Amino acid sequence: MNADGTWSAQATLPIPPPEMRRLIGPEDPAEFDNPRGSLVYPHLSPDVYERVLDFGCGCGRIARQLIQQVPRPERYLGIDLHRGMIAWCRANLEPAAPGFEFRHHDVHSVSLNPGVDKPKTLPFPAEDGSFTLVNAWSVFTHLTESQAKHYLREVGRVLAPGGVLNSTWFLFDKRDYPMLTDIQNALYTNEYDLSASVIFDREWVRREARNAGLTIVQVLPPRIRNFQWTVLMAPSGARADEVGFPPDEAPQGAVPASNLPVDANLIGLDERP
């Protein structure tokens, strides 16, 4: 506990190494800290933090902040396709937080989890209706259309009544692209790795959410034009009205992704050269 009544886990919880932080985006150690124990996402109700499934937990940026949050979640399950980052979280975060668990989600990724025998999707390792919050921050922005459809259904399966999906998306309006057919609802930016950045038709997202038993209940526009939209979904029938997408009036800017090293999938593993 600090003299001003705040506390920091810097001295007791390790910060992931720079090469891991570089893989997920934010590199500043302050982005991993929550010294005042505040709600990690102020736009969410405090009661949804009771049981958290962190889909795409990476090297534990949100997990580390949740460990410091007051109150701390009773249960936390972080899953990610990068073996090295999951191994780091198990060794450094799990022992400090009872109820926190990390698992490797062994699905195929060209850069982060290669292997021709790996499936493109897997079920969440969770029971039906077992989580009050599914967090998918910068995850659907890296899924193909078929993967996004699968995981929306998984979210609908594991969310408890009154639960929330907190997710981010890149969105476009398909009506502005007359060459697209009924089965083309996503734009891809990298011919070698389709997961690099994926942009979805916003009405497709709404439609697939409904098909998964989910309702879009809140939308926060991006802070930079055409960047990440924050989309909250709740189980349909939860007495929440469906909302539309507000206009994107953010200023233009650039947030280019970092180039991944050739051995990105081996970071944090003993077999790395």
Side-chain angles (χ1 to χ4, degrees), residues 157-229:
R157 178 181 69 82
V158 304
L159 267 184
V164 172
L165 166 66
N166 184 48
S167 60
T168 58
W169 301 75
F170 297 141
L171 300 173
F172 77 103
D173 191 336
K174 183 177 172 179
R175 294 174 299 179
D176 294 331
Y177 295 81
M179 76 293 296
L180 297 181
T181 68
D182 289 344
I183 63 171
Q184 295 172 310
N185 300 287
L187 305 178
Y188 302 92
T189 64
N190 188 315
E191 64 177 309
Y192 304 105
D193 183 358
L194 294 181
S195 68
S197 293
V198 186
I199 311 165
F200 288 95
D201 173 51
R202 65 188 66 195
E203 289 308 314
W204 179 89
V205 173
R206 183 188 303 282
R207 186 167 63 250
E208 289 304 321
R210 290 171 179 166
N211 291 339
L214 300 168
T215 299
I216 297 176
V217 295
Q218 186 177 358
V219 178
L220 303 177
R223 296 182 179 181
I224 296 175
R225 183 81 56 84
N226 288 326
F227 197 52
Q228 289 188 340
W229 293 73

Side-chain angles (χ1 to χ4, degrees), residues 4-197:
D4 63 354
T6 67
W7 74 285
S8 172
Q10 294 280 7
T12 56
L13 282 179
I15 296 287
E19 55 190 356
M20 284 190 184
R21 303 201 304 268
R22 199 169 297 120
L23 281 184
I24 68 166
E27 297 186 46
D28 185 350
E31 295 282 345
F32 290 73
D33 204 20
N34 184 12
R36 295 189 176 275
S38 305
L39 295 181
V40 173
Y41 296 106
H43 59 270
L44 297 180
S45 173
D47 58 344
V48 303
Y49 288 97
E50 182 180 352
R51 303 184 303 278
V52 179
L53 171 60
D54 196 0
F55 177 32
C57 64
C59 56
R61 183 175 73 89
I62 300 302
R64 194 178 186 281
Q65 294 178 341
L66 286 171
I67 290 172
Q68 300 173 78
Q69 178 180 286
V70 181
R72 175 189 294 179
E74 294 179 6
R75 181 186 180 192
Y76 169 96
L77 173 60
I79 64 173
D80 199 274
L81 52 72
H82 192 281
R83 287 194 299 138
M85 291 196 282
I86 287 295
W88 187 92
C89 290
R90 282 177 173 168
N92 293 279
L93 299 182
E94 264 191 25
F100 276 58
E101 179 185 3
F102 298 87
R103 292 193 193 180
H104 183 220
H105 197 61
D106 198 11
V107 294
H108 178 263
S109 166
V110 172
S111 301
L112 300 179
N113 197 37
V116 294
D117 58 332
K118 296 183 185 296
K120 293 182 178 180
T121 61
L122 283 172
F124 287 150
E127 307 83 7
D128 294 0
S130 55
F131 286 93
T132 55
L133 171 61
V134 175
N135 188 54
W137 201 261
S138 193
V139 175
F140 285 99
T141 52
H142 301 289
L143 298 180
T144 64
E145 185 173 334
S146 61
Q147 289 172 320
K149 183 183 296 187
H150 166 84
Y151 284 112
L152 280 173
R153 283 160 173 73
E154 280 297 285
V155 170
R157 178 181 69 82
V158 304
L159 267 184
V164 172
L165 166 66
N166 184 48
S167 60
T168 58
W169 301 75
F170 297 141
L171 300 173
F172 77 103
D173 191 336
K174 183 177 172 179
R175 294 174 299 179
D176 294 331
Y177 295 81
M179 76 293 296
L180 297 181
T181 68
D182 289 344
I183 63 171
Q184 295 172 310
N185 300 287
L187 305 178
Y188 302 92
T189 64
N190 188 315
E191 64 177 309
Y192 304 105
D193 183 358
L194 294 181
S195 68
S197 293

